[in-house]
PDB file of all heavy atoms in Angstrom:
ATOM      1  N   ALA A   2      13.764  12.898 -13.216  1.00  0.00           N
ATOM      2  CA  ALA A   2      14.389  13.087 -11.905  1.00  0.00           C
ATOM      3  C   ALA A   2      13.363  12.871 -10.796  1.00  0.00           C
ATOM      4  O   ALA A   2      12.167  12.790 -11.064  1.00  0.00           O
ATOM      5  CB  ALA A   2      14.965  14.496 -11.805  1.00  0.00           C
ATOM      6  N   LEU A   6       8.057   7.303  -4.512  1.00  0.00           N
ATOM      7  CA  LEU A   6       8.081   6.805  -3.129  1.00  0.00           C
ATOM      8  C   LEU A   6       7.038   5.731  -2.813  1.00  0.00           C
ATOM      9  O   LEU A   6       6.758   5.472  -1.642  1.00  0.00           O
ATOM     10  CB  LEU A   6       7.928   7.986  -2.151  1.00  0.00           C
ATOM     11  CG  LEU A   6       9.181   8.870  -2.031  1.00  0.00           C
ATOM     12  CD1 LEU A   6       8.944   9.995  -1.023  1.00  0.00           C
ATOM     13  CD2 LEU A   6      10.396   8.037  -1.625  1.00  0.00           C
ATOM     14  N   LEU A  12       6.609  -9.585  -3.848  1.00  0.00           N
ATOM     15  CA  LEU A  12       6.644  -9.932  -2.427  1.00  0.00           C
ATOM     16  C   LEU A  12       5.412  -9.413  -1.691  1.00  0.00           C
ATOM     17  O   LEU A  12       5.199  -9.740  -0.525  1.00  0.00           O
ATOM     18  CB  LEU A  12       7.951  -9.476  -1.797  1.00  0.00           C
ATOM     19  CG  LEU A  12       9.109 -10.298  -2.419  1.00  0.00           C
ATOM     20  CD1 LEU A  12      10.453  -9.679  -2.154  1.00  0.00           C
ATOM     21  CD2 LEU A  12       9.066 -11.737  -1.948  1.00  0.00           C
ATOM     22  N   ALA A  24      15.739  -2.022 -11.961  1.00  0.00           N
ATOM     23  CA  ALA A  24      16.242  -1.854 -13.338  1.00  0.00           C
ATOM     24  C   ALA A  24      15.407  -0.799 -14.068  1.00  0.00           C
ATOM     25  O   ALA A  24      15.938   0.061 -14.786  1.00  0.00           O
ATOM     26  CB  ALA A  24      16.196  -3.185 -14.089  1.00  0.00           C
ATOM     27  N   THR A  37       7.942  -0.313  -1.098  1.00  0.00           N
ATOM     28  CA  THR A  37       6.883  -0.271  -0.082  1.00  0.00           C
ATOM     29  C   THR A  37       5.853  -1.378  -0.268  1.00  0.00           C
ATOM     30  O   THR A  37       4.683  -1.118  -0.559  1.00  0.00           O
ATOM     31  CB  THR A  37       6.155   1.093  -0.129  1.00  0.00           C
ATOM     32  OG1 THR A  37       5.659   1.296  -1.473  1.00  0.00           O
ATOM     33  CG2 THR A  37       7.061   2.249   0.241  1.00  0.00           C
ATOM     34  N   GLY A  56      23.742   3.981  -8.478  1.00  0.00           N
ATOM     35  CA  GLY A  56      23.473   5.354  -8.073  1.00  0.00           C
ATOM     36  C   GLY A  56      22.030   5.581  -7.665  1.00  0.00           C
ATOM     37  O   GLY A  56      21.678   6.665  -7.196  1.00  0.00           O
ATOM     38  N   GLY A  62      11.086   0.800   2.822  1.00  0.00           N
ATOM     39  CA  GLY A  62       9.860   1.065   3.570  1.00  0.00           C
ATOM     40  C   GLY A  62       8.904  -0.098   3.567  1.00  0.00           C
ATOM     41  O   GLY A  62       9.254  -1.236   3.248  1.00  0.00           O
ATOM     42  N   ASP A  70     -13.124   1.827  10.814  1.00  0.00           N
ATOM     43  CA  ASP A  70     -14.535   1.693  10.432  1.00  0.00           C
ATOM     44  C   ASP A  70     -14.751   0.756   9.246  1.00  0.00           C
ATOM     45  O   ASP A  70     -15.465   1.093   8.299  1.00  0.00           O
ATOM     46  CB  ASP A  70     -15.130   3.068  10.078  1.00  0.00           C
ATOM     47  CG  ASP A  70     -15.034   4.053  11.238  1.00  0.00           C
ATOM     48  OD1 ASP A  70     -15.027   3.587  12.390  1.00  0.00           O
ATOM     49  OD2 ASP A  70     -14.948   5.268  10.987  1.00  0.00           O
ATOM     50  N   ILE A  95      -0.848  -9.453  10.781  1.00  0.00           N
ATOM     51  CA  ILE A  95      -1.660  -8.998   9.651  1.00  0.00           C
ATOM     52  C   ILE A  95      -1.606 -10.011   8.511  1.00  0.00           C
ATOM     53  O   ILE A  95      -2.623 -10.294   7.885  1.00  0.00           O
ATOM     54  CB  ILE A  95      -1.199  -7.610   9.150  1.00  0.00           C
ATOM     55  CG1 ILE A  95      -1.481  -6.558  10.217  1.00  0.00           C
ATOM     56  CG2 ILE A  95      -1.898  -7.252   7.848  1.00  0.00           C
ATOM     57  CD1 ILE A  95      -0.887  -5.211   9.907  1.00  0.00           C
ATOM     58  N   ASP A 112     -20.642 -18.917  -2.023  1.00  0.00           N
ATOM     59  CA  ASP A 112     -22.077 -18.775  -1.738  1.00  0.00           C
ATOM     60  C   ASP A 112     -22.788 -17.990  -2.832  1.00  0.00           C
ATOM     61  O   ASP A 112     -23.973 -18.181  -3.072  1.00  0.00           O
ATOM     62  CB  ASP A 112     -22.303 -18.055  -0.402  1.00  0.00           C
ATOM     63  CG  ASP A 112     -21.942 -18.945   0.790  1.00  0.00           C
ATOM     64  OD1 ASP A 112     -21.792 -20.177   0.574  1.00  0.00           O
ATOM     65  OD2 ASP A 112     -21.794 -18.419   1.908  1.00  0.00           O
ATOM     66  N   PRO A 134      -6.436  -8.323  -4.535  1.00  0.00           N
ATOM     67  CA  PRO A 134      -6.081  -8.489  -5.950  1.00  0.00           C
ATOM     68  C   PRO A 134      -5.773  -9.943  -6.335  1.00  0.00           C
ATOM     69  O   PRO A 134      -6.085 -10.366  -7.451  1.00  0.00           O
ATOM     70  CB  PRO A 134      -4.840  -7.604  -6.105  1.00  0.00           C
ATOM     71  CG  PRO A 134      -5.028  -6.532  -5.077  1.00  0.00           C
ATOM     72  CD  PRO A 134      -5.633  -7.246  -3.900  1.00  0.00           C
ATOM     73  N   ALA A 146     -15.711 -12.974 -14.417  1.00  0.00           N
ATOM     74  CA  ALA A 146     -15.509 -11.550 -14.730  1.00  0.00           C
ATOM     75  C   ALA A 146     -14.320 -11.469 -15.660  1.00  0.00           C
ATOM     76  O   ALA A 146     -13.532 -12.423 -15.759  1.00  0.00           O
ATOM     77  CB  ALA A 146     -15.248 -10.755 -13.458  1.00  0.00           C
ATOM     78  N   GLY A 160     -17.223  -2.746   1.603  1.00  0.00           N
ATOM     79  CA  GLY A 160     -18.683  -2.740   1.665  1.00  0.00           C
ATOM     80  C   GLY A 160     -19.332  -3.620   0.599  1.00  0.00           C
ATOM     81  O   GLY A 160     -20.552  -3.726   0.563  1.00  0.00           O
ATOM     82  N   ASP A 171      -5.673   0.418  14.483  1.00  0.00           N
ATOM     83  CA  ASP A 171      -6.201   1.650  13.900  1.00  0.00           C
ATOM     84  C   ASP A 171      -5.032   2.529  13.416  1.00  0.00           C
ATOM     85  O   ASP A 171      -3.884   2.283  13.759  1.00  0.00           O
ATOM     86  CB  ASP A 171      -7.126   2.362  14.891  1.00  0.00           C
ATOM     87  CG  ASP A 171      -6.368   2.893  16.086  1.00  0.00           C
ATOM     88  OD1 ASP A 171      -5.478   3.740  15.908  1.00  0.00           O
ATOM     89  OD2 ASP A 171      -6.653   2.430  17.208  1.00  0.00           O
ATOM     90  N   GLU A 177       2.151   5.011  15.632  1.00  0.00           N
ATOM     91  CA  GLU A 177       2.973   4.839  16.847  1.00  0.00           C
ATOM     92  C   GLU A 177       3.953   3.677  16.686  1.00  0.00           C
ATOM     93  O   GLU A 177       5.143   3.800  16.997  1.00  0.00           O
ATOM     94  CB  GLU A 177       2.069   4.594  18.066  1.00  0.00           C
ATOM     95  CG  GLU A 177       1.344   5.852  18.516  1.00  0.00           C
ATOM     96  CD  GLU A 177       0.336   5.606  19.640  1.00  0.00           C
ATOM     97  OE1 GLU A 177      -0.249   4.503  19.691  1.00  0.00           O
ATOM     98  OE2 GLU A 177       0.138   6.522  20.457  1.00  0.00           O
ATOM     99  N   ASP A 198     -15.059   5.957  -1.859  1.00  0.00           N
ATOM    100  CA  ASP A 198     -13.831   6.758  -1.855  1.00  0.00           C
ATOM    101  C   ASP A 198     -14.067   8.204  -1.431  1.00  0.00           C
ATOM    102  O   ASP A 198     -13.630   9.139  -2.098  1.00  0.00           O
ATOM    103  CB  ASP A 198     -13.170   6.750  -3.244  1.00  0.00           C
ATOM    104  CG  ASP A 198     -12.430   5.440  -3.483  1.00  0.00           C
ATOM    105  OD1 ASP A 198     -12.281   4.652  -2.532  1.00  0.00           O
ATOM    106  OD2 ASP A 198     -12.009   5.223  -4.628  1.00  0.00           O
ATOM    107  N   ASP A 225      -8.217  12.391  -8.261  1.00  0.00           N
ATOM    108  CA  ASP A 225      -8.542  13.374  -9.296  1.00  0.00           C
ATOM    109  C   ASP A 225      -8.028  14.745  -8.835  1.00  0.00           C
ATOM    110  O   ASP A 225      -7.608  14.898  -7.685  1.00  0.00           O
ATOM    111  CB  ASP A 225     -10.043  13.363  -9.615  1.00  0.00           C
ATOM    112  CG  ASP A 225     -10.898  13.709  -8.409  1.00  0.00           C
ATOM    113  OD1 ASP A 225     -10.402  14.408  -7.500  1.00  0.00           O
ATOM    114  OD2 ASP A 225     -12.061  13.280  -8.378  1.00  0.00           O
ATOM    115  N   TYR A 249       3.081   1.719  -8.098  1.00  0.00           N
ATOM    116  CA  TYR A 249       3.293   0.739  -9.174  1.00  0.00           C
ATOM    117  C   TYR A 249       3.042  -0.683  -8.679  1.00  0.00           C
ATOM    118  O   TYR A 249       3.530  -1.074  -7.621  1.00  0.00           O
ATOM    119  CB  TYR A 249       4.741   0.882  -9.665  1.00  0.00           C
ATOM    120  CG  TYR A 249       5.133  -0.008 -10.811  1.00  0.00           C
ATOM    121  CD1 TYR A 249       4.519   0.106 -12.052  1.00  0.00           C
ATOM    122  CD2 TYR A 249       6.149  -0.956 -10.659  1.00  0.00           C
ATOM    123  CE1 TYR A 249       4.904  -0.698 -13.111  1.00  0.00           C
ATOM    124  CE2 TYR A 249       6.543  -1.753 -11.718  1.00  0.00           C
ATOM    125  CZ  TYR A 249       5.914  -1.625 -12.945  1.00  0.00           C
ATOM    126  OH  TYR A 249       6.297  -2.421 -13.991  1.00  0.00           O
ATOM    127  N   ALA A 261       4.510   9.269 -10.842  1.00  0.00           N
ATOM    128  CA  ALA A 261       4.393  10.374  -9.884  1.00  0.00           C
ATOM    129  C   ALA A 261       5.674  10.372  -9.066  1.00  0.00           C
ATOM    130  O   ALA A 261       6.132   9.312  -8.628  1.00  0.00           O
ATOM    131  CB  ALA A 261       3.186  10.166  -8.982  1.00  0.00           C
TER     132      ALA A 261
END
Side-chain angles (χ1 to χ4, degrees):
L6 287 181
L12 294 164
T37 56
D70 301 332
I95 293 172
D112 288 346
D171 68 61
E177 287 174 329
D198 283 350
D225 61 26
Y249 182 63

